[in-house]
Structures are given as structure tokens and as C-alpha cells.
Amino acid sequence: MIDPAIQLLLSLGFSLLFIVAGIHKLSNRLRFQGIVDAYEIVPTSLVPVLVVVIAVIETLLGAGWLISNSVLVPLCSAVLLNTYILAISINLFRGRTYIDCGCGFSAFAGKQDNDGGIQQLSLGLVGRNYILVALTLLATLPTAERVLGSVDYFGIALGLVCTLLIYSAANQLLTNHNAIGAWRNVSG
């Protein structure tokens, strides 16, 4: 059993993650198309359609986390995240670590033309996505019966802010790790 406060925190967190990611991909379709094409997993002719499909699926999953109590939403989220893990792992196996993962939000900061802030493929991204998969699967547990109070909602709000800060910090650390690695390769 999972506490309803934890369930609500997971739902809000994944809703925010998927809605922002989906909207980001839809609003930057050409850039995201270039990223998906760089993975070299699907034929180039299918990439424009795949880009829209991925963005729509992410947006729908985000909405699903908000409005549905179905176990299907966390399970579909886990499948999507595992698909990303597979795509990243294939390219890591190929030695293609220089590719932008497509999951960063540098365009929101006005850095879309600056490739210095991209998140390149790494085992860290695979690990982060496995953690996200574990959290989606945690949300499939049955929810305990209890009424949430005002203290619970305050805790959920603080938890959501903390989760957002931790997720952003982890993404920044992954980006910094890539930049430091690039500096070492140039100067070494």
C-alpha cells in the first residue's frame, strides 16, 4: 500500500514532467526532429511522424497522471521511459555519446542555439530513467484509505518543489559532466 499523499505527489510530478516535455517537443519540433534523427534508430522518413507521436504521447500521459487513477497510466509511462532507455543504450553501445538526449529543457532558458548546454547520452541518463521507471511502478501500488488534510497538501506542495529542484539539479549535473568531459578531451 502507498500513502495517498505520496501517490498524489507522484501523479503531480509525472504530470508536470510529461506535459512540459510534450509541449517542449511540440513547440520545438524541428530541433527535436534533428535529435531523433541523430539516434539513427528509425528510418529518416518516419522521424517527422515519430516526433509528433512522442510529443502527443507524453502530453497525454501527463494529462492522464492528473485525471486518471488507472494503473494503465503509470505502466504506459514506464514503457515510454524504458523505450528511451533502450534508444540511449543502443547509441551508448555504438559509442555515440555525443548525441543530445532530447530530454533537456535548455530551449526554455533561451539557449536553443547553444549546444554547450545539451545533455549528451550517458549512463547517468540511463540511471535517471531507471529511477523514474521505479517511481512510475511505485504509483501502481494500491493507495491506502485515508483522508488528506491541509498539512498533507502543504507537504505535497513542498515535496513537489523539492522534487523539481532535485530533478533540475540532477539534469544540470549530467550536463556539467558532459561539458567537463569535453574540456578534458580538448585540453588532454
Side-chain angles (χ1 to χ4, degrees), residues 25 28-37 50-51 54-55 102:
K25 289 174 174 110
N28 295 294
R29 278 195 324 268
L30 290 178
R31 181 166 183 236
F32 185 56
Q33 185 174 327
I35 291 168
V36 171
D37 196 34
L50 183 62
V51 163
I54 290 170

Side-chain angles (χ1 to χ4, degrees), residues 119-137:
Q119 280 186 316
Q120 294 175 325
L121 302 186
S122 67
L123 288 176
L125 284 173
V126 172
R128 182 201 65 190
N129 284 351
Y130 273 126
I131 291 169
L132 291 173
V133 168
L135 291 171
T136 62
L137 296 177

Side-chain angles (χ1 to χ4, degrees), residues 22-63:
I23 290 171
H24 177 67
K25 289 174 174 110
L26 283 172
S27 65
N28 295 294
R29 278 195 324 268
L30 290 178
R31 181 166 183 236
F32 185 56
Q33 185 174 327
I35 291 168
V36 171
D37 196 34
Y39 273 79
E40 295 182 358
I41 292 178
V42 297
T44 304
S45 60
L46 296 178
V47 170
V49 173
L50 183 62
V51 163
V52 173
V53 168
I54 290 170
V56 168
I57 288 172
E58 284 183 344
T59 306
L60 290 174
L61 283 173

